[in-house]
Structures are given as C-alpha cells and as structure tokens.
Amino acid sequence: MPKAKLRFRPYNPDQNTMVVINYQDQLQPGTFEHAVYCLIEHKLDLSFFSSRAMCL
C-alpha cells in the first residue's frame, strides 16, 4: 500500500487575514480591561480632544 503524499498550502507571512472580533464580547465584567473601558467611556471628560479636532 503506497503512502499518501502530504500536501500543505505554502506559507506566506505577508498574506493578509481578516479576523472578526467583537470587542464587547471580549470585555468581560470584573476584568481590568472592562474597568478601563468603563473609566474611559463613563468617567473621563474627553471633550477636550473633540474640540481640538474641530480647530485643526
């Protein structure tokens, strides 16, 4: 019985890939990342940055 020849796709480190990530699913309550997200979204006043963008 002859052995089957293995066939692999060629490796190309420069190829583009698309990975779909839902960041809301990644930010689980109780984690450090979730705490940072809540701090930035709900506690910090970021209006300074949007007002600066309008001036440029």
Side-chain angles (χ1 to χ4, degrees):
M1 179 178 217
K3 288 188 173 182
K5 185 176 180 181
L6 298 177
R7 298 183 319 164
F8 297 99
R9 292 183 179 179
Y11 174 68
N12 181 0
D14 294 324
Q15 69 188 8
N16 294 328
T17 58
M18 182 176 163
V19 179
V20 179
I21 298 174
N22 183 345
Y23 289 106
Q24 291 298 332
D25 291 342
Q26 300 296 317
L27 296 172
Q28 297 298 317
T31 62
F32 175 75
E33 294 84 2
H34 187 262
V36 171
Y37 168 76
C38 288
L39 176 69
I40 292 172
E41 287 294 315
H42 303 291
K43 301 293 182 182
L44 293 179
D45 179 16
L46 302 176
S47 62
F48 172 77
F49 294 108
S50 60
S51 66
R52 293 272 303 172
M54 290 181 189
C55 294
L56 296 176

